């Protein structure tokens, strides 16, 4: 092994000298070169960027993956540079359990058929969550990690080097100051009137020789100071350029944040859409279970042609007890002539998705009718001067 003792001793000496200078500065026993105010502001801004980026990154990881064990597993795979195995989301796992339970209880039973419906939507929610997690990791988490593990490490390295250059500069300043003080003291001794009765002449010869040595020491200290000042100024410029790049980092993180917010909005919109569809299907199931035509009391497939076409028996009627509220709107009740109108009570709030639909408030009364060729899941609703399509499952027809 190549072991350079002289270099090791030199490095140890430099480290010790810097440590002494740093300690004396902290104790107020040595002067400290202050950095440029602009550079100080850049350093403060960079430290803030680093600290908040770490906090945002950690909290986003908690948001996307609340399980600490799973986060540790992801961290280990990332450090080993290996691909993380595909993990089933909680919603997908719940949906799978519901489907398996439905098969055991019987898919033809009301409970089993409802488990199938809800389970399928849970799996769709899980798929949307998986896509959201992947998009967020690529477009948001990765850029933040790249900054902390790449750009920030480079900045930190150059800042440490700048601090060493500053310590070397202050050491040279202190050394020059001491050399000048010693030179001035020797000069004062050499100019003093000699007293031949108490001092021998050869002392003055030695004093003159020491003065020459001190002058050389001052010249050497001044040269080292100039070199140290040049290296410090060069390193300060390098550090300044890197710190000014934080502005570009902010712009990059801004774009990443916008991508994250867009992915989040898309995910929640998908979840809202799936849950609205699920609610409609569950309402259809409840209507079908309450209808006398469903002798087996099984929730029909909401997209099957049998369910959409309504009951085939012309004599079918809807029975109700005296203490029962008006029956919920069923499919045969929606087949109204274009000119026929009826009053309907709104069961749930509904927000219109576009200008062709009409927003609804729970418990309000509206007028509804249908038109030939219209989707049986929808009616035309009117409220005053407002008019638009309304979903059947949100209404209860009144006699």
């Amino acid at each position: 092994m190549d072991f350079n003792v002289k270099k090791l001793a030199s490095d140890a000496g430099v480290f010790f000298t810097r440590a002494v200078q740093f300690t004396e500065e902290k104790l107020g026993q040595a002067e400290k070169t202050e950095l440029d105010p602009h550079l100080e502001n850049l350093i403060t801004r960079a430290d803030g960027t680093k600290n908040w980026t770490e906090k945002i990154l950690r909290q986003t990881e908690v948001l996307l993956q609340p399980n600490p064990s799973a986060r540790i597993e992801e961290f280990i795979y990332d450090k080993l540079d290996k691909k993380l195995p595909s993990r089933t989301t909680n919603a997908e796992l719940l949906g799978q359990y519901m489907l398996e339970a439905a098969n055991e209880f019987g898919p033809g039973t009301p409970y089993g058929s409802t488990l199938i419906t809800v389970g399928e939507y849970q799996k769709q929610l899980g798929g949307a969550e998986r896509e959201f997690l992947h998009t967020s990791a690529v477009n948001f988490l990765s850029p933040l990690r790249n900054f902390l593990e790449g750009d920030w490490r480079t900045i930190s390295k150059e800042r440490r080097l700048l601090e060493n250059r500053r310590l070397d500069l202050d050491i040279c300043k202190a050394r020059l100051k001491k050399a000048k003080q010693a030179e001035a003291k020797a000069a004062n001794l050499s100019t003093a009137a000699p007293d031949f009765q108490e001092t021998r002449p050869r002392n003055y010869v030695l004093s003159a020789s020491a003065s020459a040595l001190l002058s050389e020491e001052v010249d050497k200290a001044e040269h080292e100071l100039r070199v140290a000042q040049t290296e410090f100024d060069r390193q300060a410029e390098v550090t300044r350029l890197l710190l000014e790049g934080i502005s570009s980092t902010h712009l990059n993180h801004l774009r990443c944040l916008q991508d994250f917010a867009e992915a989040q909005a898309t995910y929640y919109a998908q979840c809202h859409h799936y849950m609205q569809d699920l609610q409609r299907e569950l309402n259809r199931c409840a209507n079908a279970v309450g209808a006398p035509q469903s002798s087996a009391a099984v929730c029909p497939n909401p997209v099957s042609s049998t369910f959409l076409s309504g009951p085939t028996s012309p004599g079918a009627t809807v029975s109700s007890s005296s203490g029962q509220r008006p029956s919920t709107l069923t499919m045969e009740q929606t087949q109204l002539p274009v000119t026929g109108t009826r009053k309907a009570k709104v069961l749930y709030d509904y927000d219109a998705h576009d200008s062709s639909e009409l927003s609804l408030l729970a418990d309000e009364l509206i007028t509804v009718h249908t038109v030939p060729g219209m989707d049986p899941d929808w009616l035309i609703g009117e409220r005053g001067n407002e008019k638009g399509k309304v979903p059947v499952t949100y209404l209860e027809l009144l006699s």
Side-chain angles (χ1 to χ4, degrees):
M1 183 177 66
D2 186 13
F3 189 73
N4 193 327
V5 178
K6 291 184 178 180
K7 185 178 184 304
L8 180 62
S10 176
D11 293 342
V14 171
F15 176 80
F16 178 76
T17 306
R18 289 172 178 170
V20 171
Q21 175 67 25
F22 181 80
T23 303
E24 290 179 349
E25 289 176 356
K26 290 298 182 181
L27 297 176
Q29 299 175 358
E31 296 181 0
K32 177 182 177 181
T33 300
E34 299 296 336
L35 299 177
D36 185 296
H38 176 61
L39 185 57
E40 288 282 7
N41 291 335
L42 291 177
I43 291 175
T44 302
R45 184 171 180 236
D47 287 337
T49 300
K50 180 255 185 181
N51 293 334
W52 283 113
T53 300
E54 285 182 334
K55 292 180 180 179
I56 292 173
L57 175 62
R58 286 197 298 267
Q59 193 57 37
T60 305
E61 290 175 337
V62 172
L63 173 67
L64 298 179
Q65 179 51 264
N67 188 342
S69 299
R71 292 201 303 273
I72 294 175
E73 181 182 0
E74 292 175 357
F75 176 79
I76 293 175
Y77 272 92
D78 181 65
K79 291 302 179 183
L80 295 177
D81 197 19
K82 291 186 177 181
K83 184 178 180 180
L84 182 68
S86 178
R87 182 184 292 112
T88 303
T89 62
N90 292 329
E92 289 176 317
L93 187 59
L94 174 60
Q96 185 62 35
Y97 287 166
M98 287 183 174
L99 294 178
E100 293 175 1
N103 290 331
E104 182 173 339
F105 298 147
T109 63
Y111 184 38
S113 61
T114 304
L115 278 173
I116 292 176
T117 301
V118 177
E120 290 294 344
Y121 276 96
Q122 291 298 328
K123 294 183 73 173
Q124 293 185 48
L125 290 173
E129 181 184 1
R130 181 193 300 276
E131 180 63 24
F132 168 60
L133 295 177
H134 174 72
T135 303
S136 300
V138 173
N139 295 337
F140 189 59
L141 296 182
S142 292
L144 296 187
R145 288 197 191 99
N146 291 339
F147 166 71
L148 294 174
E149 297 176 0
D151 296 346
W152 183 252
R153 288 185 178 180
T154 302
I155 292 174
S156 300
K157 177 183 177 182
E158 297 300 330
R159 284 179 59 182
R160 288 193 297 270
L161 191 56
L162 175 63
E163 178 66 10
N164 290 336
R165 294 289 179 263
R166 185 197 64 76
L167 290 172
D168 293 341
L169 176 62
D170 289 336
I171 290 170
C172 290
K173 287 181 179 179
R175 187 177 298 158
L176 177 61
K177 183 178 180 180
K178 291 179 180 179
K180 286 185 176 181
Q181 289 175 348
E183 183 185 34
K185 183 177 181 180
N188 291 335
L189 291 176
S190 63
T191 56
D195 185 357
F196 293 100
Q197 295 179 354
E198 298 180 1
T199 307
R200 289 178 291 182
R202 63 178 182 178
N203 291 342
Y204 293 92
V205 176
L206 292 175
S207 178
S209 177
S211 178
L213 292 175
L214 290 173
S215 297
E216 292 180 2
E217 187 67 23
V218 170
D219 293 340
K220 180 181 178 182
E222 289 178 344
H223 173 72
E224 291 177 350
L225 178 60
R226 288 192 296 269
V227 173
Q229 184 69 55
T230 301
E231 292 180 352
F232 172 78
D233 292 340
R234 185 186 300 113
Q235 186 59 37
E237 182 65 17
V238 171
T239 306
R240 182 184 64 80
L241 292 175
L242 287 174
L243 293 174
E244 288 178 347
I246 292 293
S247 298
S248 299
T249 299
H250 285 187
L251 292 177
N252 183 39
H253 289 181
L254 171 61
R255 290 190 293 268
C256 296
L257 183 60
Q258 291 171 341
D259 292 340
F260 174 68
E262 182 179 355
Q264 205 170 22
T266 301
Y267 167 62
Y268 288 127
Q270 287 177 325
C271 292
H272 179 67
H273 174 71
Y274 290 146
M275 295 311 297
Q276 278 193 323
D277 289 347
L278 175 59
Q279 187 180 36
R280 290 170 186 159
E281 292 195 17
L282 292 178
N283 288 334
R284 291 171 188 166
C285 292
N287 295 339
V289 169
Q293 292 79 10
S294 303
S295 58
V298 177
C299 176
N301 187 339
V303 297
S304 65
S305 59
T306 304
F307 179 78
L308 292 178
S309 61
T312 58
S313 173
T317 58
V318 179
S319 61
S320 61
S321 61
S322 58
Q324 187 179 8
R325 60 181 297 181
S327 61
T328 308
L329 186 63
T330 56
M331 297 307 300
E332 71 272 10
Q333 293 173 304
T334 68
Q335 306 304 320
L336 302 175
V338 66
T339 55
T341 60
R342 293 182 65 176
K343 289 291 184 179
K345 180 180 179 181
V346 179
L347 299 176
Y348 320 102
D349 291 343
Y350 177 75
D351 294 328
H353 292 82
D354 53 52
S355 58
S356 68
E357 298 181 8
L358 179 66
S359 296
L360 303 175
L361 293 176
D363 297 329
E364 69 173 335
L365 297 179
I366 62 172
T367 302
V368 295
H369 66 271
T370 187
V371 295
M374 187 175 181
D375 183 16
D377 289 342
W378 296 83
L379 292 174
I380 300 298
E382 296 184 7
R383 180 181 55 230
N385 296 328
E386 298 178 330
K387 182 178 179 180
K389 295 190 302 180
V390 294
V392 171
T393 53
Y394 282 67
L395 302 176
E396 178 182 292
L397 279 183
L398 301 178
S399 41

